[in-house]
PDB file of all heavy atoms in Angstrom:
ATOM      1  N   ASP G  98      72.572 125.144  36.175  1.00 96.00           N
ATOM      2  CA  ASP G  98      71.548 124.820  37.181  1.00 96.00           C
ATOM      3  C   ASP G  98      71.936 123.635  38.049  1.00 96.00           C
ATOM      4  O   ASP G  98      71.691 123.629  39.262  1.00 96.00           O
ATOM      5  CB  ASP G  98      70.202 124.541  36.491  1.00 96.00           C
ATOM      6  CG  ASP G  98      69.582 125.795  35.890  1.00 96.00           C
ATOM      7  OD1 ASP G  98      69.998 126.901  36.294  1.00 96.00           O
ATOM      8  OD2 ASP G  98      68.688 125.667  35.038  1.00 96.00           O
ATOM      9  N   GLU G  99      72.542 122.626  37.439  1.00 96.00           N
ATOM     10  CA  GLU G  99      72.924 121.439  38.199  1.00 96.00           C
ATOM     11  C   GLU G  99      73.958 121.789  39.276  1.00 96.00           C
ATOM     12  O   GLU G  99      73.871 121.331  40.423  1.00 96.00           O
ATOM     13  CB  GLU G  99      73.498 120.381  37.259  1.00 96.00           C
ATOM     14  CG  GLU G  99      73.878 119.086  37.966  1.00 96.00           C
ATOM     15  CD  GLU G  99      74.418 118.033  37.003  1.00 96.00           C
ATOM     16  OE1 GLU G  99      74.352 118.267  35.783  1.00 96.00           O
ATOM     17  OE2 GLU G  99      74.917 116.995  37.483  1.00 96.00           O
ATOM     18  N   LYS G 100      74.916 122.629  38.914  1.00 96.00           N
ATOM     19  CA  LYS G 100      75.937 123.037  39.879  1.00 96.00           C
ATOM     20  C   LYS G 100      75.335 123.921  40.964  1.00 96.00           C
ATOM     21  O   LYS G 100      75.734 123.837  42.129  1.00 96.00           O
ATOM     22  CB  LYS G 100      77.087 123.745  39.169  1.00 96.00           C
ATOM     23  CG  LYS G 100      77.928 122.800  38.315  1.00 96.00           C
ATOM     24  CD  LYS G 100      79.054 123.517  37.601  1.00 96.00           C
ATOM     25  CE  LYS G 100      79.886 122.510  36.806  1.00 96.00           C
ATOM     26  NZ  LYS G 100      81.008 123.167  36.086  1.00 96.00           N
ATOM     27  N   HIS G 101      74.381 124.756  40.591  1.00 96.00           N
ATOM     28  CA  HIS G 101      73.701 125.586  41.597  1.00 96.00           C
ATOM     29  C   HIS G 101      72.949 124.716  42.599  1.00 96.00           C
ATOM     30  O   HIS G 101      72.914 125.023  43.797  1.00 96.00           O
ATOM     31  CB  HIS G 101      72.742 126.561  40.912  1.00 96.00           C
ATOM     32  CG  HIS G 101      73.368 127.878  40.575  1.00 96.00           C
ATOM     33  ND1 HIS G 101      73.801 128.769  41.536  1.00 96.00           N
ATOM     34  CD2 HIS G 101      73.643 128.456  39.377  1.00 96.00           C
ATOM     35  CE1 HIS G 101      74.306 129.841  40.955  1.00 96.00           C
ATOM     36  NE2 HIS G 101      74.236 129.670  39.646  1.00 96.00           N
ATOM     37  N   GLN G 102      72.324 123.629  42.124  1.00 97.00           N
ATOM     38  CA  GLN G 102      71.612 122.730  43.034  1.00 97.00           C
ATOM     39  C   GLN G 102      72.579 122.080  44.023  1.00 97.00           C
ATOM     40  O   GLN G 102      72.283 121.972  45.226  1.00 97.00           O
ATOM     41  CB  GLN G 102      70.875 121.659  42.231  1.00 97.00           C
ATOM     42  CG  GLN G 102      69.679 122.189  41.455  1.00 97.00           C
ATOM     43  CD  GLN G 102      68.999 121.116  40.624  1.00 97.00           C
ATOM     44  OE1 GLN G 102      69.379 119.948  40.676  1.00 97.00           O
ATOM     45  NE2 GLN G 102      67.999 121.496  39.848  1.00 97.00           N
ATOM     46  N   THR G 103      73.732 121.655  43.529  1.00 97.00           N
ATOM     47  CA  THR G 103      74.749 121.064  44.411  1.00 97.00           C
ATOM     48  C   THR G 103      75.251 122.101  45.404  1.00 97.00           C
ATOM     49  O   THR G 103      75.427 121.807  46.596  1.00 97.00           O
ATOM     50  CB  THR G 103      75.920 120.514  43.584  1.00 97.00           C
ATOM     51  OG1 THR G 103      75.437 119.563  42.635  1.00 97.00           O
ATOM     52  CG2 THR G 103      76.956 119.853  44.480  1.00 97.00           C
ATOM     53  N   LEU G 104      75.475 123.321  44.918  1.00 97.00           N
ATOM     54  CA  LEU G 104      75.935 124.404  45.792  1.00 97.00           C
ATOM     55  C   LEU G 104      74.911 124.690  46.883  1.00 97.00           C
ATOM     56  O   LEU G 104      75.271 124.878  48.058  1.00 97.00           O
ATOM     57  CB  LEU G 104      76.195 125.666  44.964  1.00 97.00           C
ATOM     58  CG  LEU G 104      76.540 126.941  45.752  1.00 97.00           C
ATOM     59  CD1 LEU G 104      77.800 126.747  46.581  1.00 97.00           C
ATOM     60  CD2 LEU G 104      76.692 128.126  44.805  1.00 97.00           C
ATOM     61  N   ASN G 105      73.634 124.724  46.523  1.00 97.00           N
ATOM     62  CA  ASN G 105      72.591 124.999  47.512  1.00 97.00           C
ATOM     63  C   ASN G 105      72.543 123.930  48.593  1.00 97.00           C
ATOM     64  O   ASN G 105      72.324 124.226  49.778  1.00 97.00           O
ATOM     65  CB  ASN G 105      71.230 125.124  46.822  1.00 97.00           C
ATOM     66  CG  ASN G 105      71.098 126.407  46.021  1.00 97.00           C
ATOM     67  OD1 ASN G 105      71.802 127.387  46.274  1.00 97.00           O
ATOM     68  ND2 ASN G 105      70.208 126.413  45.040  1.00 97.00           N
ATOM     69  N   GLU G 106      72.743 122.665  48.203  1.00 97.00           N
ATOM     70  CA  GLU G 106      72.782 121.580  49.183  1.00 97.00           C
ATOM     71  C   GLU G 106      73.989 121.749  50.110  1.00 97.00           C
ATOM     72  O   GLU G 106      73.882 121.544  51.327  1.00 97.00           O
ATOM     73  CB  GLU G 106      72.847 120.228  48.467  1.00 97.00           C
ATOM     74  CG  GLU G 106      73.086 119.029  49.390  1.00 97.00           C
ATOM     75  CD  GLU G 106      72.000 118.823  50.434  1.00 97.00           C
ATOM     76  OE1 GLU G 106      70.848 119.261  50.186  1.00 97.00           O
ATOM     77  OE2 GLU G 106      72.296 118.228  51.488  1.00 97.00           O
ATOM     78  N   MET G 107      75.122 122.140  49.556  1.00 97.00           N
ATOM     79  CA  MET G 107      76.306 122.372  50.371  1.00 97.00           C
ATOM     80  C   MET G 107      76.079 123.524  51.344  1.00 97.00           C
ATOM     81  O   MET G 107      76.422 123.432  52.535  1.00 97.00           O
ATOM     82  CB  MET G 107      77.510 122.683  49.472  1.00 97.00           C
ATOM     83  CG  MET G 107      78.779 123.026  50.246  1.00 97.00           C
ATOM     84  SD  MET G 107      80.128 123.518  49.165  1.00 97.00           S
ATOM     85  CE  MET G 107      80.556 121.927  48.484  1.00 97.00           C
ATOM     86  N   LEU G 108      75.487 124.619  50.879  1.00 96.00           N
ATOM     87  CA  LEU G 108      75.213 125.772  51.737  1.00 96.00           C
ATOM     88  C   LEU G 108      74.236 125.418  52.852  1.00 96.00           C
ATOM     89  O   LEU G 108      74.357 125.902  53.982  1.00 96.00           O
ATOM     90  CB  LEU G 108      74.662 126.935  50.907  1.00 96.00           C
ATOM     91  CG  LEU G 108      75.643 127.596  49.934  1.00 96.00           C
ATOM     92  CD1 LEU G 108      74.928 128.619  49.072  1.00 96.00           C
ATOM     93  CD2 LEU G 108      76.801 128.243  50.683  1.00 96.00           C
ATOM     94  N   PHE G 109      73.255 124.574  52.541  1.00 96.00           N
ATOM     95  CA  PHE G 109      72.304 124.102  53.544  1.00 96.00           C
ATOM     96  C   PHE G 109      73.034 123.367  54.664  1.00 96.00           C
ATOM     97  O   PHE G 109      72.784 123.581  55.851  1.00 96.00           O
ATOM     98  CB  PHE G 109      71.258 123.195  52.888  1.00 96.00           C
ATOM     99  CG  PHE G 109      70.353 122.495  53.856  1.00 96.00           C
ATOM    100  CD1 PHE G 109      69.340 123.191  54.504  1.00 96.00           C
ATOM    101  CD2 PHE G 109      70.516 121.142  54.127  1.00 96.00           C
ATOM    102  CE1 PHE G 109      68.499 122.541  55.409  1.00 96.00           C
ATOM    103  CE2 PHE G 109      69.688 120.489  55.017  1.00 96.00           C
ATOM    104  CZ  PHE G 109      68.676 121.191  55.666  1.00 96.00           C
ATOM    105  N   ARG G 110      73.973 122.522  54.293  1.00 95.00           N
ATOM    106  CA  ARG G 110      74.747 121.776  55.289  1.00 95.00           C
ATOM    107  C   ARG G 110      75.665 122.710  56.084  1.00 95.00           C
ATOM    108  O   ARG G 110      75.790 122.575  57.305  1.00 95.00           O
ATOM    109  CB  ARG G 110      75.574 120.683  54.600  1.00 95.00           C
ATOM    110  CG  ARG G 110      74.744 119.607  53.919  1.00 95.00           C
ATOM    111  CD  ARG G 110      75.635 118.453  53.482  1.00 95.00           C
ATOM    112  NE  ARG G 110      74.894 117.460  52.721  1.00 95.00           N
ATOM    113  CZ  ARG G 110      75.360 116.249  52.430  1.00 95.00           C
ATOM    114  NH1 ARG G 110      76.579 115.891  52.844  1.00 95.00           N
ATOM    115  NH2 ARG G 110      74.649 115.399  51.732  1.00 95.00           N
ATOM    116  N   PHE G 111      76.314 123.646  55.376  1.00 95.00           N
ATOM    117  CA  PHE G 111      77.182 124.600  56.067  1.00 95.00           C
ATOM    118  C   PHE G 111      76.393 125.407  57.093  1.00 95.00           C
ATOM    119  O   PHE G 111      76.868 125.671  58.200  1.00 95.00           O
ATOM    120  CB  PHE G 111      77.825 125.559  55.063  1.00 95.00           C
ATOM    121  CG  PHE G 111      78.936 124.959  54.250  1.00 95.00           C
ATOM    122  CD1 PHE G 111      79.573 125.714  53.266  1.00 95.00           C
ATOM    123  CD2 PHE G 111      79.365 123.662  54.462  1.00 95.00           C
ATOM    124  CE1 PHE G 111      80.609 125.180  52.519  1.00 95.00           C
ATOM    125  CE2 PHE G 111      80.398 123.111  53.704  1.00 95.00           C
ATOM    126  CZ  PHE G 111      81.017 123.876  52.724  1.00 95.00           C
ATOM    127  N   ASP G 112      75.177 125.809  56.715  1.00 93.00           N
ATOM    128  CA  ASP G 112      74.359 126.602  57.618  1.00 93.00           C
ATOM    129  C   ASP G 112      73.973 125.802  58.862  1.00 93.00           C
ATOM    130  O   ASP G 112      73.951 126.329  59.977  1.00 93.00           O
ATOM    131  CB  ASP G 112      73.095 127.087  56.890  1.00 93.00           C
ATOM    132  CG  ASP G 112      72.282 128.050  57.733  1.00 93.00           C
ATOM    133  OD1 ASP G 112      72.825 129.109  58.119  1.00 93.00           O
ATOM    134  OD2 ASP G 112      71.109 127.760  58.014  1.00 93.00           O
ATOM    135  N   ALA G 113      73.681 124.516  58.668  1.00 92.00           N
ATOM    136  CA  ALA G 113      73.330 123.652  59.807  1.00 92.00           C
ATOM    137  C   ALA G 113      74.498 123.539  60.776  1.00 92.00           C
ATOM    138  O   ALA G 113      74.316 123.540  61.993  1.00 92.00           O
ATOM    139  CB  ALA G 113      72.913 122.275  59.305  1.00 92.00           C
ATOM    140  N   VAL G 114      75.710 123.454  60.234  1.00 92.00           N
ATOM    141  CA  VAL G 114      76.909 123.396  61.077  1.00 92.00           C
ATOM    142  C   VAL G 114      77.107 124.721  61.807  1.00 92.00           C
ATOM    143  O   VAL G 114      77.386 124.759  63.014  1.00 92.00           O
ATOM    144  CB  VAL G 114      78.151 123.063  60.220  1.00 92.00           C
ATOM    145  CG1 VAL G 114      79.429 123.206  61.048  1.00 92.00           C
ATOM    146  CG2 VAL G 114      78.046 121.658  59.651  1.00 92.00           C
ATOM    147  N   LYS G 115      76.945 125.823  61.072  1.00 88.00           N
ATOM    148  CA  LYS G 115      77.168 127.151  61.659  1.00 88.00           C
ATOM    149  C   LYS G 115      76.148 127.460  62.754  1.00 88.00           C
ATOM    150  O   LYS G 115      76.480 128.055  63.784  1.00 88.00           O
ATOM    151  CB  LYS G 115      77.100 128.213  60.561  1.00 88.00           C
ATOM    152  CG  LYS G 115      77.549 129.593  61.012  1.00 88.00           C
ATOM    153  CD  LYS G 115      77.613 130.561  59.837  1.00 88.00           C
ATOM    154  CE  LYS G 115      78.113 131.918  60.294  1.00 88.00           C
ATOM    155  NZ  LYS G 115      78.209 132.870  59.155  1.00 88.00           N
ATOM    156  N   GLN G 116      74.900 127.065  62.550  1.00 86.00           N
ATOM    157  CA  GLN G 116      73.859 127.321  63.541  1.00 86.00           C
ATOM    158  C   GLN G 116      74.145 126.605  64.863  1.00 86.00           C
ATOM    159  O   GLN G 116      73.726 127.067  65.932  1.00 86.00           O
ATOM    160  CB  GLN G 116      72.493 126.864  63.002  1.00 86.00           C
ATOM    161  CG  GLN G 116      71.957 127.708  61.866  1.00 86.00           C
ATOM    162  CD  GLN G 116      71.599 129.121  62.290  1.00 86.00           C
ATOM    163  OE1 GLN G 116      71.375 129.408  63.465  1.00 86.00           O
ATOM    164  NE2 GLN G 116      71.547 130.023  61.325  1.00 86.00           N
ATOM    165  N   ALA G 117      74.857 125.491  64.778  1.00 87.00           N
ATOM    166  CA  ALA G 117      75.130 124.706  65.982  1.00 87.00           C
ATOM    167  C   ALA G 117      76.347 125.216  66.758  1.00 87.00           C
ATOM    168  O   ALA G 117      76.587 124.775  67.883  1.00 87.00           O
ATOM    169  CB  ALA G 117      75.348 123.242  65.603  1.00 87.00           C
ATOM    170  N   GLU G 118      77.102 126.145  66.178  1.00 84.00           N
ATOM    171  CA  GLU G 118      78.311 126.628  66.843  1.00 84.00           C
ATOM    172  C   GLU G 118      77.967 127.299  68.177  1.00 84.00           C
ATOM    173  O   GLU G 118      77.051 128.115  68.259  1.00 84.00           O
ATOM    174  CB  GLU G 118      79.044 127.632  65.950  1.00 84.00           C
ATOM    175  CG  GLU G 118      79.726 126.984  64.745  1.00 84.00           C
ATOM    176  CD  GLU G 118      80.410 128.010  63.867  1.00 84.00           C
ATOM    177  OE1 GLU G 118      80.277 129.230  64.151  1.00 84.00           O
ATOM    178  OE2 GLU G 118      81.064 127.608  62.893  1.00 84.00           O
ATOM    179  N   ASP G 119      78.735 126.946  69.196  1.00 83.00           N
ATOM    180  CA  ASP G 119      78.596 127.547  70.528  1.00 83.00           C
ATOM    181  C   ASP G 119      77.196 127.359  71.118  1.00 83.00           C
ATOM    182  O   ASP G 119      76.719 128.195  71.894  1.00 83.00           O
ATOM    183  CB  ASP G 119      78.939 129.045  70.491  1.00 83.00           C
ATOM    184  CG  ASP G 119      80.364 129.282  70.059  1.00 83.00           C
ATOM    185  OD1 ASP G 119      81.236 128.490  70.460  1.00 83.00           O
ATOM    186  OD2 ASP G 119      80.620 130.243  69.324  1.00 83.00           O
ATOM    187  N   LYS G 120      76.517 126.277  70.742  1.00 87.00           N
ATOM    188  CA  LYS G 120      75.197 125.976  71.287  1.00 87.00           C
ATOM    189  C   LYS G 120      75.265 124.689  72.117  1.00 87.00           C
ATOM    190  O   LYS G 120      76.012 123.775  71.802  1.00 87.00           O
ATOM    191  CB  LYS G 120      74.167 125.795  70.166  1.00 87.00           C
ATOM    192  CG  LYS G 120      73.949 127.024  69.289  1.00 87.00           C
ATOM    193  CD  LYS G 120      73.218 128.120  70.031  1.00 87.00           C
ATOM    194  CE  LYS G 120      72.692 129.193  69.094  1.00 87.00           C
ATOM    195  NZ  LYS G 120      73.686 129.754  68.181  1.00 87.00           N
ATOM    196  N   LYS G 121      74.475 124.634  73.182  1.00 89.00           N
ATOM    197  CA  LYS G 121      74.394 123.463  74.037  1.00 89.00           C
ATOM    198  C   LYS G 121      72.942 123.021  74.174  1.00 89.00           C
ATOM    199  O   LYS G 121      72.041 123.867  74.303  1.00 89.00           O
ATOM    200  CB  LYS G 121      74.960 123.772  75.434  1.00 89.00           C
ATOM    201  CG  LYS G 121      76.389 124.300  75.449  1.00 89.00           C
ATOM    202  CD  LYS G 121      77.380 123.247  74.990  1.00 89.00           C
ATOM    203  CE  LYS G 121      78.813 123.781  75.070  1.00 89.00           C
ATOM    204  NZ  LYS G 121      79.783 122.801  74.528  1.00 89.00           N
ATOM    205  N   TYR G 122      72.741 121.704  74.128  1.00 91.00           N
ATOM    206  CA  TYR G 122      71.400 121.152  74.362  1.00 91.00           C
ATOM    207  C   TYR G 122      71.309 120.811  75.849  1.00 91.00           C
ATOM    208  O   TYR G 122      72.145 120.075  76.378  1.00 91.00           O
ATOM    209  CB  TYR G 122      71.178 119.908  73.512  1.00 91.00           C
ATOM    210  CG  TYR G 122      69.759 119.395  73.565  1.00 91.00           C
ATOM    211  CD1 TYR G 122      68.738 120.087  72.913  1.00 91.00           C
ATOM    212  CD2 TYR G 122      69.432 118.237  74.260  1.00 91.00           C
ATOM    213  CE1 TYR G 122      67.434 119.627  72.962  1.00 91.00           C
ATOM    214  CE2 TYR G 122      68.131 117.770  74.311  1.00 91.00           C
ATOM    215  CZ  TYR G 122      67.136 118.479  73.655  1.00 91.00           C
ATOM    216  OH  TYR G 122      65.848 118.027  73.705  1.00 91.00           O
ATOM    217  N   VAL G 123      70.317 121.389  76.516  1.00 92.00           N
ATOM    218  CA  VAL G 123      70.216 121.274  77.974  1.00 92.00           C
ATOM    219  C   VAL G 123      68.901 120.592  78.354  1.00 92.00           C
ATOM    220  O   VAL G 123      67.827 120.972  77.878  1.00 92.00           O
ATOM    221  CB  VAL G 123      70.285 122.672  78.635  1.00 92.00           C
ATOM    222  CG1 VAL G 123      70.182 122.554  80.155  1.00 92.00           C
ATOM    223  CG2 VAL G 123      71.573 123.379  78.241  1.00 92.00           C
ATOM    224  N   ARG G 124      69.011 119.589  79.228  1.00 93.00           N
ATOM    225  CA  ARG G 124      67.838 118.911  79.791  1.00 93.00           C
ATOM    226  C   ARG G 124      67.911 119.005  81.306  1.00 93.00           C
ATOM    227  O   ARG G 124      68.998 118.877  81.885  1.00 93.00           O
ATOM    228  CB  ARG G 124      67.818 117.445  79.362  1.00 93.00           C
ATOM    229  CG  ARG G 124      67.486 117.234  77.888  1.00 93.00           C
ATOM    230  CD  ARG G 124      67.739 115.816  77.453  1.00 93.00           C
ATOM    231  NE  ARG G 124      69.165 115.581  77.231  1.00 93.00           N
ATOM    232  CZ  ARG G 124      69.672 114.429  76.803  1.00 93.00           C
ATOM    233  NH1 ARG G 124      68.875 113.408  76.581  1.00 93.00           N
ATOM    234  NH2 ARG G 124      70.978 114.301  76.612  1.00 93.00           N
ATOM    235  N   MET G 125      66.770 119.205  81.929  1.00 94.00           N
ATOM    236  CA  MET G 125      66.753 119.345  83.394  1.00 94.00           C
ATOM    237  C   MET G 125      65.410 118.900  83.951  1.00 94.00           C
ATOM    238  O   MET G 125      64.389 118.896  83.237  1.00 94.00           O
ATOM    239  CB  MET G 125      67.012 120.804  83.772  1.00 94.00           C
ATOM    240  CG  MET G 125      65.836 121.734  83.477  1.00 94.00           C
ATOM    241  SD  MET G 125      66.288 123.471  83.397  1.00 94.00           S
ATOM    242  CE  MET G 125      66.909 123.570  81.705  1.00 94.00           C
ATOM    243  N   ASN G 126      65.418 118.535  85.209  1.00 95.00           N
ATOM    244  CA  ASN G 126      64.178 118.291  85.932  1.00 95.00           C
ATOM    245  C   ASN G 126      63.801 119.572  86.659  1.00 95.00           C
ATOM    246  O   ASN G 126      64.638 120.189  87.333  1.00 95.00           O
ATOM    247  CB  ASN G 126      64.353 117.144  86.936  1.00 95.00           C
ATOM    248  CG  ASN G 126      64.575 115.820  86.236  1.00 95.00           C
ATOM    249  OD1 ASN G 126      64.127 115.618  85.108  1.00 95.00           O
ATOM    250  ND2 ASN G 126      65.274 114.913  86.899  1.00 95.00           N
TER     251      ASN G 126
END
């Protein structure tokens, strides 16, 4: 269970990185 918890935290971070791929934050008037 302890290793699964660490793995889940790692996957959460990987997903955050993957979601940001090829994305741009745009601001405009």
Side-chain angles (χ1 to χ4, degrees):
D98 290 342
E99 182 179 352
K100 290 179 178 180
H101 269 294
Q102 289 178 4
T103 303
L104 174 60
N105 288 338
E106 172 61 25
M107 176 185 286
L108 291 174
F109 172 75
R110 296 190 185 193
F111 285 178
D112 187 59
V114 172
K115 190 173 182 179
Q116 291 293 339
E118 288 179 355
D119 299 322
K120 298 289 194 308
K121 304 293 182 184
Y122 188 73
V123 180
R124 289 169 282 182
M125 72 199 82
N126 293 333

